[in-house]
Amino acid sequence: MMGRMLQMLQDMTQFINRICELVKCIIQQLASLYVQSAGAVLNPTGIHLQTVFEHIGTALGILITLDHIFEQGETFKEHWQQYKRVITSIKGAPAEYGMEESKLKPFEKLLQALEGKLMEGHIFKSCVTQIFDSMEVNVTQNQLLRDEFNINLRNIFVHLESRIGEINEMDQRQKFVGFCGLLVFQYQLYNVVDKKMLRAVWDVQRKLPAVHLLGNLVWFPGAFLMVQYPGLSKHLDKKVLSQSGSLTVEYLQAQDQSLARLSQQYYMDVSSWMIQMESALVSRGKQKDSMKEEVSARASLLINGMLLAHTISNTVRTVLSLHSSLARPMTKAAVLAICRLVELMKAIQVTFHRQSLSVMEYVTLIINQYEATMLTYLDAVSRSVQEVTLQDAKQKYTERSLDVLAALSVMKTALNGPGTADRRLVANLAYHFTLVVKKDKEEDKLPAIMRKLDAICELRLRVQEFCDCSFLYWHKEVLIPLYFKDLFEHPVDAHRLHYMFAAFRDCVPALRWSRHMEDTSPLLHMLESEVDGYLKDHILQPLCLAVEEDLRLSTHLHLKLDDRNPFKVGLRDLKHFMMVKPFRFFDRSVDMKAYVTHYLDMTFYNLTTVALHDWKTYGDMRSLAEHKYGLVMLEPHLPSATVEQGLDVLEIMRNIHVFVSHYCYNLNNQLFVERTSNSKHLNTINIRHIANSIGTHGTGSMNTTVNFTYQFLRKKFFIFSQFMYDEYIKARLLKEIRQFRESKTTWDQKTGELVALKKVPLRRLEDGIPNSALREIKALQESEENHHAQIKSYMLMLLKGVAYLHGNNIMHRDLKPANLLISSTGHLKIADFGLARVFSEDPARLYSHQVATSTVGGDDTIKAQHRLTHFPPTYHAPFTSGLLVVSYWSKITTDLPYHNFFFNMERATLGGLTLGPGFSNGNVHVAWLNWLGTIPPASNLTSNHRSLCLCAFLPSNLSCDSCIRLEAGGIVPNQLSHATCTLPLLNPGPSVNPPNVALSILKKKLWAIGCILGELLNSSPLFPGENDIDQLCCVLRVLGTPDEVTWPKMVELPDYKKISFPVMPPIPLEMVVPDASPEAIELLKRLLVYTDRISASKALLYPYFFTPPLPAHHSELPIPSRDAANPFVGESFDVSDPLEQFLVKPALLAPYVDLFT
């Protein structure tokens, strides 16, 4: 892109250089003119060349605009930097890119020159700060030129300030940009400040806070002066300078509030002007006025049209540019008012275009009349100069008189001919030399007539400029959708579409002038597609549907529908859209009437094809469309259906879901028979009906039938596949598969009930029935009520233990069925405190937020960062001297260093282990175990002893001589604990109860208890994830995707947005745990929530534990089996027994026995 723009950038550089040289040359010529010396060409006293200074301001305004374009072109700057990086990368290997190394350096210098000239914001500054003095001319020290500068700046400012914001404003806003450039130029040239004028210029912002330059560029005079006018803060009050931004906002607010009123006022003014144009130009020569008066009236009419167009254009451009620049939203009323003003602009242009022949004829007459009037004035001035000279006694012409007469002669010659731009410029320059003589009132009218002459001579160009709407390209996303929606709601204004699309056509020339693309057709196509999409979405498609609906309702009036009162229902008269003439849209024409006709033809034909029995209805709708909307529609020429034809196959396929539910197939007769009927007869469908349908619709109808059937089956199979892939359904099905593999059903001959039989294989008959079968028979004999009672008992003990832990500010953080042990007396014990933490009130204390546990076992569950967490001392008193014996549940390899598991509580380390601070209340003992040695290698830890843990003993029983894990179901231990350790405590220290700290935080750690309760009730995990991500998916699938309502402040979590999941609705827990009681479901709902979970102490008071069946006594709970494979199970422990008898290798303990005696 940048490569194609280099030529344009070079041309722009040359253009800027030419303007700078032109300004320098003109200033030097003025300095040569305004001198007082004997050899002066003429006496410059009283000669003020205001036109020259205005043109210098125009040139400076161009430079300011170019500066603003490059300053606001962020995309251009980004591409320029990318282009420079590409050139830099080519320098490494120019041959690979077909470049000569000798040409790269000059090319880089060219790029640097272009960047320094154009892209650093110094285009205007480089012009006004260049050196104007030379050997021949001294500009900066020329006092006459400085005074002339001041005089012309005042005259220009008075003229601009009196016109800006008024009805007779023409092009004063653009000239004000150049005037500000002249003001800065004067300061740079002479370093002189006129504070009074500077303050007056600054106050213009109240009427003109911004000027729209082109496209989406807006220029702020206050910001320009603060940047380009050195020392502005010294000459103006700081309070005045700080009000620049607020003035802009206040101006925009005032414009927004008055837009609706202005649009209505301009609508009346433009309508009146259009009527006058139509009547005045058509009735030429029929009026009684003289020719001169008629031409003057027509001239005033044409100029008023231009002034209206310019005023409306200024309002629209300024409001849109300010909203875009300040990033302030527009109200719907403001948008519609802007669109209305755009329509008025194009209405003025269309009126000029429609009356172009009459306008051009009058333009010639108006120019001749203005020129004749000015020539008359000039003749009078010439005679007065000559009379004054003749009255002199010497009867000689002075040099001043000769200069005036020469200027008058030049002016007459310029005006006596066609009104070209060059002739008018010469006449304006010559006029300034005639001002040295005394003028009468008639001669004072010359400047006004010359301005009117300029306006009439440039009528076509100015109308095109003032009515140009190419700026809509930058605001189309805001204006077009709202405009089309409002237009569809008010069909009376449908004719205004012509004007809006005429405004869109103004964007085409600007896009075709683009130089960053070799072919601009993609830009045009994008604009066309976007506008066409808005037109179809907001007008054409709704119009087609509204017409179709109106035809249907009108056709079925006999059904006695509701009253269609337009004042109640809001009916729209859609006939106005059908009366809109085709309008041009880029390279094609849009005919709304033809579009609706085509839609109705296609819709009626298709619907008649699949429902031939409705052919008469659609025929009536065609006739009504022609009568009501004037739509000439085509006849479909389709065969008419008859009653004897039977049910149509295509109609059946359209409602195949109804057909499948109401019909069944008879294999013997090969026909479909209705299941039930309200009449005495059952409908049937056989091969004859299918043949009739094929004869009616053709063989292509079979493809349609197959397609309908395929779509129906695809939806059904898709739902079925989703059903089968659900984790809960899959788990239930697998469970039933296992059951049906081992069981079969039969009928009980005594009771007639359906019962299940299970085959138990016997390897040897003499061995008897296996123990596993006996245990299963015993479990099946227990009632469902006893099963739920056991679950309640386990949950009661678990909640009591967790409530005690939370009361002592301990977070377990690893609660799961594998860490819940059942003693030989039926008591539940909480084990494995490897991830536990003490919760402190200290706000500066940090906690890990990435601690998680899963029900999935494996050797990789030993993780140092989780198991070996250090717990710093808090307010808990330490234990007294004593010995803790740590033993594994089952097999311990000979390579494992047993001595590492013995330590003294008062010593720092012993064999790599330390015991952190703990506490005791006499019944429950909790201690922290810190690992300071080397972690045993994974090869030394088998799957039967994977983790090291501690037990928190409940008040019901201190012994833990025989423990099993609490698994799913809670009755039969499916699997023993992978790794546990019992810690009998010797010589407990004094009881210390810590204060209740931050229970508002600890009570929220009940998520794991909810998972355990759901697993016990469901006999399977609630969230059976195979990994962390799958685990999250399982949770979200049941509880739904969290949001700000279900989880406030979720977005503030540290790992938020690291992974995203699809939005899923929650599944009712009644479906997830179908066998649970309502009380159990209610408790689950308070536990399995993202936030605001209840505390353990409050959970103990829930109705779940006080409704039948009541929790079972611990003596009624299943007792752990004593398996020979676990030698430590069933062994009792007493503190009075010698320590050596509990060691696997007593020799390892011998060196340490003396330490504890």
Side-chain angles (χ1 to χ4, degrees):
M1 181 183 76
M2 299 307 304
R4 285 191 291 269
M5 295 186 67
L6 288 179
Q7 181 62 42
M8 185 195 71
L9 295 178
Q10 286 181 291
D11 295 341
M12 189 175 296
T13 304
Q14 297 298 325
F15 174 72
I16 294 171
N17 292 335
R18 181 175 177 82
I19 290 180
C20 294
E21 290 295 331
L22 178 64
V23 172
K24 182 178 180 180
C25 182
I26 293 176
I27 292 297
Q28 290 179 348
Q29 289 180 5
L30 290 175
S32 300
L33 178 64
Y34 289 96
V35 293
Q36 291 180 350
S37 62
V41 178
L42 53 81
N43 183 11
T45 305
I47 300 176
H48 307 299
L49 300 177
Q50 182 177 334
T51 303
V52 177
F53 285 90
E54 289 178 352
H55 282 74
I56 294 176
T58 303
L60 295 179
I62 294 173
L63 300 183
I64 294 172
T65 303
L66 292 176
D67 258 337
H68 210 59
I69 290 174
F70 284 104
E71 179 184 352
Q72 299 296 326
E74 297 296 336
T75 305
F76 178 82
K77 293 178 182 178
E78 293 177 3
H79 285 80
W80 179 261
Q81 296 300 328
Q82 293 175 5
Y83 186 72
K84 288 175 59 179
R85 287 195 291 268
V86 170
I87 298 301
T88 304
S89 63
I90 292 176
K91 289 174 59 178
E96 295 182 3
Y97 299 94
M99 294 284 294
E100 297 181 11
E101 188 174 0
S102 59
K103 296 182 179 180
L104 279 177
K105 291 184 178 180
F107 186 66
E108 285 185 331
K109 291 182 180 180
L110 172 64
L111 295 182
Q112 293 176 359
L114 291 176
E115 185 174 6
K117 187 69 176 177
L118 302 176
M119 303 173 200
E120 296 182 356
H122 301 319
I123 298 176
F124 167 75
K125 189 175 182 180
S126 63
C127 179
V128 298
T129 57
Q130 63 181 324
I131 299 176
F132 291 91
D133 292 337
S134 63
M135 297 294 294
E136 296 81 8
V137 181
N138 190 345
V139 177
T140 56
Q141 301 300 325
N142 193 329
Q143 183 66 31
L144 287 179
L145 181 58
R146 186 178 69 177
D147 296 339
E148 186 66 21
F149 232 117
N150 292 331
I151 293 172
N152 284 281
L153 283 179
R154 291 193 189 96
N155 293 336
I156 295 173
F157 178 73
V158 169
H159 174 71
L160 294 178
E161 196 273 337
S162 62
R163 293 293 187 90
I164 291 177
E166 302 299 329
I167 190 62
N168 59 348
E169 178 186 353
M170 188 70 72
D171 54 356
Q172 280 71 28
R173 295 181 185 236
Q174 285 67 29
K175 289 183 178 181
F176 184 71
V177 178
F179 172 78
C180 291
L182 275 175
L183 193 64
V184 175
F185 185 27
Q186 182 203 23
Y187 181 83
Q188 293 288 350
L189 201 59
Y190 297 107
N191 197 18
V192 176
V193 178
D194 187 347
K195 294 184 179 180
K196 184 177 180 181
M197 178 179 290
L198 189 60
R199 180 60 185 265
V201 172
W202 186 266
D203 290 340
V204 174
Q205 292 184 91
R206 300 182 183 276
K207 295 194 299 183
L208 185 65
V211 177
H212 176 263
L213 299 177
L214 50 87
N216 62 339
L217 295 180
V218 59
W219 177 80
F220 297 94
F224 171 79
L225 291 176
M226 283 190 286
V227 173
Q228 300 291 346
Y229 202 97
L232 183 66
S233 59
K234 299 179 182 178
H235 309 300
L236 293 178
D237 187 11
K238 293 183 179 180
K239 184 178 180 181
V240 175
L241 293 176
S242 62
Q243 293 177 351
S244 179
S246 61
L247 289 176
T248 305
V249 175
E250 292 174 0
Y251 174 84
L252 181 59
Q253 292 176 350
Q255 288 292 322
D256 286 342
Q257 295 175 0
S258 61
L259 267 180
R261 178 182 57 80
L262 286 176
S263 64
Q264 187 65 25
Q265 177 183 345
Y266 288 142
Y267 175 76
M268 299 301 296
D269 294 341
V270 172
S271 300
S272 175
W273 176 82
M274 292 175 64
I275 294 173
Q276 293 178 16
M277 283 285 292
E278 295 290 342
S279 60
L281 296 180
V282 172
S283 60
R284 179 190 172 188
K286 297 181 180 179
Q287 299 181 359
K288 298 181 181 180
D289 300 334
S290 64
M291 187 65 181
K292 182 179 179 179
E293 294 175 352
E294 182 180 348
V295 172
S296 298
R298 302 301 182 270
S300 300
L301 195 59
L302 297 178
I303 293 176
N304 288 338
M306 281 192 294
L307 292 176
L308 276 174
H310 187 265
T311 304
I312 296 173
S313 177
N314 283 337
T315 303
V316 174
R317 293 168 186 262
T318 304
V319 171
L320 286 178
S321 301
L322 286 178
H323 275 286
S324 177
S325 178
L326 301 179
R328 296 177 66 90
M330 296 181 66
T331 62
K332 180 180 179 181
V335 170
L336 297 179
I338 289 292
C339 294
R340 192 63 178 268
L341 293 177
V342 170
E343 294 170 352
L344 295 179
M345 291 166 55
K346 302 314 291 185
I348 294 174
Q349 186 179 14
V350 169
T351 302
F352 274 113
H353 178 72
R354 186 168 56 249
Q355 303 292 338
S356 58
L357 294 178
S358 300
V359 168
M360 289 300 103
E361 186 176 355
Y362 271 107
V363 163
T364 304
L365 297 175
I366 294 169
I367 292 174
N368 293 335
Q369 180 173 330
Y370 284 162
E371 289 179 347
T373 303
M374 286 189 290
L375 288 173
T376 303
Y377 292 156
L378 293 178
D379 289 336
V381 174
S382 179
R383 285 194 301 269
S384 64
V385 172
Q386 292 176 3
E387 289 176 358
V388 171
T389 303
L390 292 176
Q391 290 175 2
D392 192 358
K394 299 181 181 180
Q395 296 185 354
K396 291 183 179 180
Y397 289 98
T398 63
E399 292 184 0
R400 175 60 60 91
S401 300
L402 292 175
D403 292 338
V404 172
L405 291 175
L408 291 172
S409 177
V410 171
M411 195 173 180
K412 291 179 183 178
T413 305
L415 293 175
N416 193 10
T420 60
D422 293 337
R423 285 176 173 269
R424 286 183 280 113
L425 178 60
V426 171
N428 279 312
L429 290 173
Y431 174 71
H432 297 306
F433 288 89
T434 66
L435 297 178
V436 295
V437 298
K438 187 178 180 180
K439 300 175 292 182
D440 56 15
K441 294 182 179 180
E442 294 296 329
E443 293 169 359
D444 287 339
K445 298 180 180 179
L446 277 178
I449 298 176
M450 293 179 70
R451 286 194 294 270
K452 291 182 180 180
L453 178 63
D454 291 338
I456 294 298
C457 291
E458 298 175 356
L459 177 66
R460 184 180 63 84
L461 295 177
R462 294 201 178 190
V463 169
Q464 184 177 357
E465 177 187 355
F466 297 160
C467 299
D468 180 38
C469 297
S470 58
F471 58 88
L472 290 180
Y473 180 81
W474 308 98
H475 310 282
K476 56 184 181 299
E477 294 85 357
V478 179
L479 301 178
I480 300 178
L482 278 177
Y483 172 77
F484 284 162
K485 288 181 181 178
D486 181 75
L487 193 66
F488 181 73
E489 295 297 328
H490 302 86
V492 179
D493 300 325
H495 62 280
R496 292 159 44 191
L497 268 175
H498 286 274
Y499 299 130
M500 186 57 69
F501 276 90
F504 289 140
R505 285 199 297 271
D506 292 341
C507 303
V508 176
L511 294 178
R512 287 178 176 170
W513 271 100
S514 302
R515 291 295 179 267
H516 65 287
M517 297 181 65
E518 186 176 0
D519 183 14
T520 58
S521 57
L523 290 176
L524 297 175
H525 179 68
M526 289 174 58
L527 177 61
E528 180 181 2
S529 301
E530 188 173 1
V531 177
D532 185 49
Y534 289 135
L535 179 64
K536 288 182 179 178
D537 294 341
H538 300 298
I539 292 185
L540 293 181
Q541 292 294 342
L543 176 62
C544 294
L545 296 176
V547 170
E548 181 184 3
E549 179 184 4
D550 181 64
L551 293 176
R552 289 184 183 278
L553 294 177
S554 300
T555 305
H556 296 87
L557 284 176
H558 61 281
L559 298 179
K560 296 182 179 180
L561 301 175
D562 296 336
D563 183 23
R564 301 177 67 210
N565 189 337
F567 297 100
K568 297 180 181 179
V569 185
L571 293 179
R572 295 182 295 268
D573 189 359
L574 303 176
K575 289 187 292 185
H576 293 282
F577 287 106
M578 307 306 165
M579 299 168 61
V580 175
K581 295 181 179 180
F583 52 86
R584 181 184 173 189
F585 181 50
F586 288 87
D587 294 332
R588 59 189 178 91
S589 178
V590 176
D591 189 347
M592 303 181 70
K593 185 175 181 181
Y595 188 92
V596 176
T597 303
H598 174 72
Y599 169 82
L600 294 178
D601 278 330
M602 180 180 64
T603 302
F604 293 169
Y605 182 88
N606 292 337
L607 295 179
T608 306
T609 302
V610 298
L612 286 176
H613 53 279
D614 288 336
W615 64 272
K616 188 175 186 303
T617 300
Y618 292 118
D620 295 341
M621 292 172 67
R622 287 188 184 89
S623 302
L624 185 61
E626 183 176 1
H627 174 74
K628 191 171 185 178
Y629 296 107
L631 305 180
V632 180
M633 304 184 64
L634 300 175
E635 281 294 333
H637 299 290
L638 290 174
S640 302
T642 59
V643 178
E644 293 80 11
Q645 186 173 343
L647 295 177
D648 188 72
V649 174
L650 288 183
E651 182 65 24
I652 293 173
M653 289 301 105
R654 290 180 60 195
N655 302 280
I656 190 170
H657 58 285
V658 179
F659 174 75
V660 170
S661 61
H662 286 75
Y663 283 80
C664 57
Y665 187 68
N666 190 323
L667 289 175
N668 295 327
N669 298 326
Q670 295 187 358
L671 53 83
F672 291 97
V673 182
E674 192 175 12
R675 296 178 186 270
T676 59
S677 176
N678 295 328
S679 61
K680 298 180 181 179
H681 307 282
L682 294 176
N683 293 324
T684 61
I685 300 177
N686 52 29
I687 192 66
R688 178 174 56 83
H689 298 99
I690 298 175
N692 289 338
S693 297
I694 295 175
T696 301
H697 305 298
T699 56
S701 60
M702 298 304 296
N703 295 332
T704 305
T705 304
V706 172
N707 183 45
F708 276 124
T709 308
Y710 169 75
Q711 296 294 337
F712 174 77
L713 294 176
R714 185 177 65 86
K715 292 180 181 178
K716 292 295 183 182
F717 277 107
F718 178 74
I719 297 173
F720 180 71
S721 64
Q722 284 186 325
F723 177 80
M724 293 298 294
Y725 273 102
D726 188 86
E727 295 292 340
Y728 302 99
I729 302 300
K730 190 189 301 183
R732 290 296 182 93
L733 291 177
L734 292 176
K735 182 177 179 181
E736 292 182 3
I737 289 173
R738 290 195 299 269
Q739 177 183 352
F740 282 107
R741 284 179 180 173
E742 301 173 356
S743 308
K744 67 178 182 179
T745 58
T746 186
W747 296 94
D748 191 340
Q749 296 180 359
K750 295 182 180 180
T751 63
E753 297 178 348
L754 184 65
V755 296
L757 299 179
K758 181 176 182 179
K759 296 180 180 180
V760 180
L762 301 177
R763 292 183 176 86
R764 291 191 306 171
L765 186 61
E766 56 272 13
D767 292 341
I769 301 175
N771 292 333
S772 60
L774 292 176
R775 285 197 300 268
E776 185 175 359
I777 293 172
K778 183 179 179 181
L780 291 174
Q781 288 175 349
E782 296 180 357
S783 64
E784 180 70 17
E785 196 171 291
N786 189 27
H787 171 69
H788 286 285
Q790 294 172 3
I791 294 177
K792 290 185 178 181
S793 180
Y794 287 134
M795 292 303 302
L796 202 61
M797 289 188 285
L798 175 59
L799 287 170
K800 286 181 180 179
V802 172
Y804 178 75
L805 292 176
H806 288 183
N808 290 278
N809 292 347
I810 296 178
M811 296 182 292
H812 188 280
R813 305 201 301 178
D814 197 14
L815 285 177
K816 56 185 176 182
N819 290 339
L820 302 180
L821 309 181
I822 308 300
S823 69
S824 59
T825 59
H827 289 91
L828 182 142
K829 302 178 185 296
I830 303 174
D832 195 350
F833 282 72
L835 293 180
R837 290 294 298 266
V838 173
F839 192 87
S840 172
E841 285 184 331
D842 185 5
R845 184 171 180 181
L846 302 178
Y847 299 90
S848 173
H849 67 279
Q850 292 181 338
V851 177
T853 182
S854 175
T855 58
V856 181
D859 291 340
D860 57 350
T861 57
I862 298 180
K863 298 181 179 179
Q865 65 270 27
H866 290 174
R867 297 290 185 187
L868 310 178
T869 309
H870 178 66
F871 300 94
T874 58
Y875 43 78
H876 306 303
F879 286 106
T880 60
S881 175
L883 176 67
L884 289 183
V885 180
V886 183
S887 62
Y888 274 80
W889 181 268
S890 58
K891 302 176 184 178
I892 301 179
T893 60
T894 57
D895 298 331
L896 193 62
Y898 290 89
H899 62 279
N900 285 355
F901 297 140
F902 299 93
F903 54 91
N904 190 292
M905 287 181 145
E906 292 182 339
R907 297 179 180 272
T909 62
L910 184 59
L913 292 175
T914 64
L915 185 65
F919 58 87
S920 169
N921 67 349
N923 293 326
V924 177
H925 311 283
V926 178
W928 303 113
L929 185 62
N930 301 327
W931 185 286
L932 301 180
T934 305
I935 302 175
S939 60
N940 294 337
L941 299 179
T942 64
S943 61
N944 290 328
H945 50 272
R946 284 195 294 266
S947 61
L948 191 63
C949 63
L950 295 175
C951 294
F953 302 99
L954 297 179
S956 59
N957 192 352
L958 290 178
S959 66
C960 192
D961 55 350
S962 178
C963 296
I964 64 172
R965 285 187 184 274
L966 178 63
E967 297 292 345
I971 299 176
V972 180
N974 298 329
Q975 183 180 3
L976 291 179
S977 171
H978 295 313
T980 63
C981 79
T982 60
L983 302 179
L985 182 62
L986 303 180
N987 301 326
S991 176
V992 178
N993 290 323
N996 187 8
V997 181
L999 286 180
S1000 62
I1001 302 298
L1002 292 173
K1003 73 177 185 179
K1004 299 181 181 179
K1005 312 302 179 183
L1006 273 293
W1007 174 272
I1009 295 180
C1011 297
I1012 294 172
L1013 175 59
E1015 186 169 348
L1016 291 175
L1017 292 172
N1018 222 24
S1019 299
S1020 61
L1022 288 182
F1023 312 115
E1026 298 180 358
N1027 49 53
D1028 292 345
I1029 301 301
D1030 192 28
Q1031 189 78 27
L1032 289 174
C1033 291
C1034 294
V1035 173
L1036 298 181
R1037 189 181 297 114
V1038 175
L1039 301 184
T1041 306
D1043 52 24
E1044 285 291 338
V1045 177
T1046 59
W1047 194 340
K1049 298 184 178 180
M1050 173 182 61
V1051 297
E1052 300 177 5
L1053 297 178
D1055 291 339
Y1056 182 70
K1057 286 188 177 179
K1058 286 188 177 180
I1059 184 172
S1060 60
F1061 295 91
V1063 177
M1064 293 178 286
I1067 300 176
L1069 289 179
E1070 291 81 354
M1071 299 176 60
V1072 179
V1073 191
D1075 298 332
S1077 63
E1079 293 81 9
I1081 294 295
E1082 184 63 26
L1083 179 58
L1084 269 179
K1085 289 181 179 179
R1086 294 304 308 273
L1087 295 174
L1088 296 179
V1089 290
Y1090 291 118
T1091 56
D1092 295 333
R1093 291 185 283 274
I1094 60 172
S1095 62
S1097 57
K1098 289 186 178 180
L1100 289 170
L1101 301 177
Y1102 249 68
Y1104 173 66
F1105 298 106
F1106 304 100
T1107 54
L1110 297 175
H1113 191 263
H1114 66 87
S1115 60
E1116 300 175 353
L1117 299 176
I1119 299 175
S1121 62
R1122 300 177 181 269
D1123 195 347
N1126 298 286
F1128 292 103
V1129 177
E1131 297 185 11
S1132 60
F1133 179 84
D1134 193 348
V1135 297
S1136 62
D1137 293 337
L1139 179 63
E1140 289 85 352
Q1141 70 182 21
F1142 294 99
L1143 298 177
V1144 180
K1145 292 184 178 181
L1148 297 175
L1149 183 63
Y1152 305 98
V1153 172
D1154 295 336
L1155 296 175
F1156 304 103
T1157 58

